[in-house]
């Protein structure tokens, strides 16, 4: 079941809504992080019809989420140009995700800096080869995925893939981007000696444009590990549209159980 289908079947509750996470959006014993984050964002957006564009999201993956979940949000502060909204997603086991979203309208500025270049050797999406079908977690079936760089002989702590959500009809562009933004495995995954459980702990996303768009819904996602020690890894993340324009940067902390 797609996210648009899931959102069309929500049940309103005090402070938010309830819905059931489809089995095909699971990642091991919990919901795919991008899906639960998108639910939290949808709950935040539902508080007011006139919120400005999303510019930053701080997300903590507290515990496993599955089955029936409840999404609640509240306004922390609303200023003249920026608004802070908190949201949480919970199920019968307790809170599984907490988030703080910052919505902010554009303002006039004399400062102009655009230093988020695409990684070198990127293959244009039209020429990129698709990933093998049937590989990866269950939620991967909701995405078209292509290799963004030629596959090297030696493993590196970086993954660059083109990702496209298959069913995005009617989704708010920010919700679509949040759903796609966590679709890569950790950058250090292919450097690990053996398969082991992996769990995201925190995730920071900063939007570089108030309205991200891309041709045919294709986004280049990058996860680059910069540290892995004693069961923890930190990675930088970034997203570009099909024309090479940077639309988001981020950072994630990951637990590696092996």
């Amino acid at each position: 079941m797609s996210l648009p289908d899931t959102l069309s079947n929500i049940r309103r509750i005090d402070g938010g809504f309830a819905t059931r996470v489809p089995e095909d959006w699971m990642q091991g014993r919990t919901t795919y992080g991008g899906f639960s984050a998108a639910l939290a964002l949808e709950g935040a957006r539902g508080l007011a019809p006139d919120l400005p564009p999303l510019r930053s999201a701080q997300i903590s993956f507290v515990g496993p989420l599955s089955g029936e979940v409840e999404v609640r949000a509240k306004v922390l502060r609303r200023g003249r140009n920026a608004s802070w909204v908190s949201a949480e997603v919970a199920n019968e086991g307790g809170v599984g995700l907490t988030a703080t979203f910052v919505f902010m309208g554009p303002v006039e500025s004399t400062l102009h800096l655009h230093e988020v270049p695409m990684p070198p050797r990127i293959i244009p999406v039209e020429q990129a080869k698709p990933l093998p079908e049937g590989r990866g977690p269950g939620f991967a079936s909701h995405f078209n995925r292509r290799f963004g760089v030629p596959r090297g002989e030696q493993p590196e702590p970086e993954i660059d893939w083109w990702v496209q959500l298959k069913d995005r009809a009617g989704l708010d562009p920010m919700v679509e981007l949040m759903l796609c933004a966590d679709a890569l495995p950790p950058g250090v995954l292919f450097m690990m000696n053996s398969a082991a459980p992996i769990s995201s702990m925190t995730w920071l996303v900063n939007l570089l444009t108030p309205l991200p768009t891309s041709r045919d819904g294709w986004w280049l996602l990058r996860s680059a590990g910069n540290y892995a020690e004693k069961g923890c890894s930190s990675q930088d993340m970034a997203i570009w549209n099909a024309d090479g324009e940077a639309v988001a940067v981020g950072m994630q902390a990951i637990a590696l159980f092996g």
Side-chain angles (χ1 to χ4, degrees):
M1 182 183 291
S2 69
L3 180 58
D5 290 337
T6 302
L7 293 177
S8 69
N9 290 306
I10 63 173
R11 175 171 53 87
R12 293 294 173 185
I13 60 174
D14 184 31
F17 63 86
T19 189
R20 175 165 290 275
V21 176
E23 286 293 328
D24 54 358
W25 279 105
M26 296 296 291
Q27 182 178 11
R29 67 191 185 102
T30 191
T31 306
Y32 159 58
F35 188 91
S36 51
L39 290 180
L41 177 56
E42 187 67 20
R45 290 180 60 250
L47 289 179
D50 59 343
L51 282 172
L54 176 68
R55 299 312 300 263
S56 186
Q58 302 170 57
I59 297 165
S60 293
F61 299 103
V62 181
L65 288 169
S66 62
E68 186 83 5
V69 298
E70 295 183 348
V71 182
R72 289 183 169 87
K74 64 179 180 180
V75 176
L76 300 176
R77 181 179 184 272
R78 186 149 197 190
R80 289 183 298 175
N81 192 55
S83 298
W84 283 258
V85 178
S86 68
E88 66 177 35
V89 184
N91 63 1
E92 59 181 11
V95 175
L97 178 145
T98 64
T100 300
F101 299 106
V102 182
F103 301 85
M104 177 180 171
V107 296
E108 292 296 326
S109 175
T110 59
L111 182 61
H112 307 284
L113 179 66
H114 300 268
E115 290 298 325
V116 189
M118 259 190 174
R121 302 183 298 138
I122 288 296
I123 304 170
V125 63
E126 295 82 4
Q127 302 171 22
K129 295 181 179 179
L131 272 68
E133 291 288 339
R135 296 182 61 179
F139 73 84
S141 63
H142 290 280
F143 298 96
N144 293 314
R145 303 177 300 168
R146 300 179 183 179
F147 291 107
V149 297
R151 302 185 69 177
E153 296 182 1
Q154 298 297 323
E156 298 179 359
E158 180 177 336
I159 298 174
D160 301 280
W161 290 351
W162 290 102
V163 172
Q164 178 196 56
L165 181 65
K166 291 181 180 178
D167 187 353
R168 58 188 189 279
L171 281 182
D172 177 85
M174 289 298 181
V175 175
E176 176 192 342
L177 189 63
M178 186 66 65
L179 184 63
C180 293
D182 194 34
L184 295 193
V188 298
L189 178 67
F190 299 120
M191 298 188 70
M192 298 177 68
N193 294 326
S194 59
I198 294 171
S199 178
S200 297
M201 296 187 292
T202 60
W203 184 27
L204 169 67
V205 184
N206 290 329
L207 281 300
L208 306 181
T209 172
L211 186 61
T213 59
S214 188
R215 284 185 286 112
D216 300 322
W218 281 105
W219 308 98
L220 178 70
L221 274 57
R222 175 180 183 259
S223 294
N226 50 44
Y227 176 90
E229 195 72 53
K230 296 180 174 60
C232 291
S233 177
S234 178
Q235 67 177 23
D236 294 319
M237 306 169 76
I239 305 175
W240 295 263
N241 66 16
D243 295 317
E245 299 168 338
V247 298
V249 293
M251 189 168 151
Q252 196 167 55
I254 302 157
L256 308 173
F257 300 97

